[in-house]
Amino acid sequence: MFEPAVNSGFILSIVVHISIFIGALIALLCYLTKKDARIYKHMKVLSGPPGLPLVGNVLSLIGPHENILGTVLEWVKVHGTCFGGYLVNIPYVVVCDAYSVEKILSSTTHINKGNDYEKFLKDWLGTGLLTARREKWFHRRKLLTPTFHFKILEDFLPVFNNHAQILTAMLENQVEQSDSFNICPFISRCTLDVICETAMGEKINAQIGGEEEYVKMVTGMTDILLIKGITPWYRNQYIWNLTSMGKLEAKYLKEMHDFTDKMIRYRKSDRKRKSISERRNSNANPSPAANDNLEGQKTRRAFLDLLLDVQENDEQFTDADIREEVDTFMFEGHDTTGANLEWVILMLACNPECQKLAYEEIQTIFGNDMDRDVTTGDLKELKYLECCIKETLRLYPSVPFFIRSMDQDCALDERRIIPKGSSVVISPYLLHRHSAVFSNPEKFDPERFFIENAAGRHPYAYVPFSAGPRNCIGQKFAMMEEKVLLASLLRRFKLEPVDTVETVPVVPDLILRPKCGIKVRLVSREMK
Ligand code: HEM
């Protein structure tokens, strides 16, 4: 008599649990459908290329990576400068007109980066400035902005000049063996040397074969991240961890973090040592300049030192925080400038009349002196060269697209709303090819950036460094570095084309790069 009672209680309990489970499932489905229906309604208005059920537009983007830009340019021609689509189940809106770009970038509401940033960069960069979410980002940006002050950047000029000298020496050696060659590895090693010394205060001598392992890791990591990003099945962490690349990534990450940690420890103990001797010194001599060492020379401070200064005033700013910012500078400050320099070299080689104007400007400033360091005053005078860099960034923006994830709706007008829950892709590559803003857009024409020609242009029509509150914090640094390197290069060599725009496939990796490098011919200038 007793047993059936137990059984009926047991059955009742199962029924209740199953009902709760089914109820919860229905509620979840209702919520998701309602949420998706809302997004879907707005996405329909932003109609873009038709996709397939379940996969959306993914299949159109599979294939040789260099075809992606062409595909998206075609979409813009057909669907206009603001359209939506799905990558699997993720709603994306591509915007590439100045008006819509301003709506997103000028706002402090749409400040969060796309989810992919965290997914791919978090293991390496933590949640530093590039990837940080709203509150953390506001705090960090405020903390770090002073470290990019012009006065501080001026202190890096000797570093830029020193590595420019090494670059030209290495190229002279190369020219003796063969005058036409792929210049990209030379540029990449040079920008890596610059960023290591300015970010960490450490010379790694990549240009002359030093710290080979570290150089291999930094360049290898960006390649690995790209493969991980574009291969759909590698997006699954379990599958990725089983691959040889996943294992290599884990090894690189550990060793690169160890390297940055070592630098932090080293600079910290160096500061302790110096502050003891400075205190002793200031007792003996009460007025030495803050940055002078015992020999009276000005000691150069790296970003890492400036971050350690921040830490002295803010105990919450830990060593781990410092590491993620130093790693972020290493990532953002190396390939971006390197790729831009490579494209400038191609543009000047292929446009001899522009190269001639750039060289004439350099001659006016430096005369026939090939060795003099570039000064702050010279940087201001290198106006045409700056226009060449800007025009190259128009055609070949180092960061070909960036993504914001929408935490709120953004109304473009009464009809079109970019819905909360979607991701917005902003592509300078597409934006900068707007013929209404840049006539004959494929033509390399530095004069577009003469003050009188740029006047009246929409401020969000040209955004190679992004724009608004979350723009590139390193843009002045990049401009200074590039001007120094290019002025030094052009003083010594005339550039002649081997590759041309037509022969160099453009690959929109994390960075917009030439697929197989850029071959140029360097001709030494004959003046002593
Ligand atoms: C030609 C060179 C460069 C270009 C074209 C460039 C471009 C950009 C772009 C487009 C962004 C926004 C990315 C996004 O929203 O996802 C960005 C952000 C950033 N860049 Fe640069 N960059 C360059 C050089 C540098 C350098 C030299 C540094 C550091 C030394 C640097 C540090 C950063 C950082 C830290 C951010 C994140 C800023 C934030 O979110 O607040 N960049 N850069």
Side-chain angles (χ1 to χ4, degrees):
M1 291 299 286
F2 194 64
E3 254 186 18
V6 172
N7 279 345
S8 65
F10 178 66
I11 290 166
L12 189 68
S13 145
I14 289 186
V15 170
V16 169
H17 278 91
I18 290 177
S19 309
I20 291 173
F21 177 72
I22 292 175
L25 202 63
I26 291 172
L28 181 69
L29 281 175
C30 287
Y31 169 75
L32 288 178
T33 324
K34 198 170 153 221
K35 191 175 139 223
D36 281 356
R38 192 182 170 280
I39 293 178
Y40 183 75
K41 186 183 94 188
H42 292 306
M43 292 295 287
K44 220 173 152 201
V45 180
L46 300 163
S47 70
L52 293 173
L54 296 178
V55 290
N57 305 104
V58 162
L59 296 184
S60 314
L61 299 174
I62 289 180
H65 207 201
E66 60 270 28
N67 293 352
I68 290 180
L69 287 171
T71 306
V72 185
L73 262 173
E74 276 310 307
W75 285 348
V76 175
K77 277 186 200 149
V78 178
H79 304 283
T81 52
C82 179
F83 60 86
Y86 281 84
L87 291 183
V88 190
N89 60 341
I90 305 168
Y92 277 89
V93 179
V94 175
V95 295
C96 48
D97 63 273
Y99 167 80
S100 316
V101 168
E102 180 174 16
K103 281 263 176 190
I104 306 290
L105 292 185
S106 65
S107 136
T108 45
T109 306
H110 314 302
I111 209 86
N112 279 338
K113 299 289 177 72
N115 296 332
D116 280 354
Y117 283 66
E118 265 198 26
K119 196 161 179 202
F120 295 110
L121 297 173
K122 196 173 167 194
D123 289 344
W124 182 8
L125 310 180
T127 47
L129 198 57
L130 179 68
T131 50
R133 293 198 155 260
R134 183 185 305 280
E135 274 74 28
K136 180 170 177 180
W137 175 78
F138 276 116
H139 178 65
R140 279 291 163 87
R141 181 82 186 206
K142 208 168 149 206
L143 220 58
L144 296 179
T145 296
T147 61
F148 282 86
H149 189 274
F150 187 70
K151 281 274 163 230
I152 286 174
L153 297 184
E154 268 185 5
D155 276 357
F156 291 144
L157 256 186
V159 180
F160 300 155
N161 275 302
N162 176 31
H163 291 297
Q165 298 260 356
I166 299 173
L167 173 68
T168 49
M170 298 309 290
L171 290 172
E172 252 155 24
N173 276 346
Q174 175 61 41
V175 167
E176 277 170 20
Q177 292 158 40
S178 158
D179 61 357
S180 35
F181 54 93
N182 176 9
I183 200 159
C184 296
F186 290 87
I187 299 293
S188 174
R189 287 191 289 262
C190 179
T191 53
L192 186 57
D193 270 346
V194 168
I195 200 65
C196 277
E197 197 170 343
T198 49
M200 299 196 268
E202 181 68 0
K203 276 194 164 76
I204 61 156
N205 298 321
Q207 295 196 81
I208 53 173
E211 290 281 3
E212 262 178 58
E213 265 311 296
Y214 186 72
V215 175
K216 216 168 84 189
M217 283 188 291
V218 176
T219 43
M221 253 323 266
T222 29
D223 292 346
I224 287 175
L225 283 177
L226 168 73
I227 295 169
K228 193 176 175 183
I230 62 169
T231 317
W233 47 94
Y234 287 161
R235 286 174 165 243
N236 181 302
Q237 197 63 36
Y238 296 104
I239 297 178
W240 173 250
N241 289 345
L242 294 174
T243 65
S244 56
M245 256 177 308
K247 293 189 175 109
L248 196 60
E249 182 195 41
K251 175 178 174 296
Y252 281 177
L253 281 175
K254 179 171 180 329
E255 289 175 17
M256 283 165 64
H257 285 158
D258 285 352
F259 188 86
T260 319
D261 285 339
K262 192 175 85 186
M263 287 304 125
I264 296 173
R265 280 197 307 275
Y266 171 74
R267 298 302 276 195
K268 269 185 151 176
S269 66
D270 196 42
R271 280 160 77 90
K272 242 189 214 151
R273 191 175 50 78
K274 277 197 182 125
S275 85
I276 293 170
S277 26
E278 266 161 23
R279 246 180 281 135
R280 279 201 202 117
N281 193 39
S282 69
N283 287 342
N285 169 18
S287 61
N291 287 7
D292 286 3
N293 68 12
L294 295 177
E295 289 78 43
Q297 294 165 329
K298 207 163 187 252
T299 50
R300 188 170 313 113
R301 288 147 56 76
F303 284 124
L304 173 52
D305 295 304
L306 302 165
L307 296 176
L308 289 169
D309 287 349
V310 171
Q311 190 179 52
E312 273 178 12
N313 300 317
D314 181 353
E315 280 174 6
Q316 315 248 325
F317 197 54
T318 63
D319 282 2
D321 294 333
I322 292 183
R323 187 180 81 188
E324 60 186 21
E325 295 308 345
V326 171
D327 287 341
T328 297
F329 294 158
M330 290 296 302
F331 170 71
E332 269 294 310
H334 158 227
D335 262 2
T336 45
T337 42
N340 184 214
L341 284 163
E342 291 159 16
W343 291 116
V344 175
I345 288 169
L346 179 69
M347 289 297 99
L348 293 181
C350 295
N351 294 278
E353 65 298 344
C354 299
Q355 186 181 165
K356 187 165 168 277
L357 289 174
Y359 181 60
E360 280 169 7
E361 178 179 78
I362 288 170
Q363 267 206 318
T364 315
I365 299 169
F366 298 92
N368 286 346
D369 191 342
M370 289 197 191
D371 297 321
R372 174 166 83 67
D373 275 358
V374 180
T375 64
T376 318
D378 299 333
L379 289 177
K380 288 188 192 121
E381 297 303 313
L382 288 164
K383 294 194 174 87
Y384 187 76
L385 187 63
E386 183 168 319
C387 292
C388 293
I389 297 171
K390 285 180 172 166
E391 173 66 344
T392 307
L393 279 171
R394 182 184 72 79
L395 284 166
Y396 300 99
S398 305
V399 182
F401 59 84
F402 38 91
I403 305 174
R404 294 284 164 89
S405 82
M406 303 300 284
D407 299 331
Q408 296 294 333
D409 285 352
C410 173
L412 295 176
D413 49 43
E414 279 173 9
R415 204 176 57 86
R416 296 175 308 158
I417 289 177
I418 302 179
K420 174 179 169 183
S422 63
S423 291
V424 171
V425 181
I426 292 170
S427 166
Y429 184 89
L430 302 173
L431 176 72
H432 296 170
R433 280 171 164 73
H434 233 281
S435 55
V437 182
F438 300 104
S439 59
N440 198 359
E442 294 298 333
K443 183 173 182 245
F444 178 76
D445 179 7
E447 293 191 15
R448 297 179 203 271
F449 290 94
F450 284 7
I451 291 174
E452 61 278 21
N453 297 339
R457 191 175 292 150
H458 193 295
Y460 286 78
Y462 175 74
V463 295
F465 293 102
S466 185
R470 204 159 184 181
N471 66 352
C472 171
I473 202 169
Q475 56 183 295
K476 284 201 191 100
F477 176 103
M479 265 297 169
M480 284 175 78
E481 174 185 353
E482 291 195 23
K483 279 170 147 184
V484 172
L485 295 184
L486 285 168
S488 309
L489 184 72
L490 291 172
R491 262 189 285 172
R492 290 196 169 264
F493 302 104
K494 185 171 171 215
L495 309 170
E496 291 181 355
V498 177
D499 272 322
T500 62
V501 173
E502 289 73 31
T503 63
V504 178
V506 185
V507 186
D509 292 356
L510 298 173
I511 302 294
L512 192 74
R513 56 174 97 246
K515 187 174 182 189
C516 310
I518 288 173
K519 261 191 155 191
V520 280
R521 180 171 300 109
L522 296 193
V523 182
S524 282
R525 298 204 187 264
E526 286 174 2
M527 28 169 231
K528 290 281 159 200

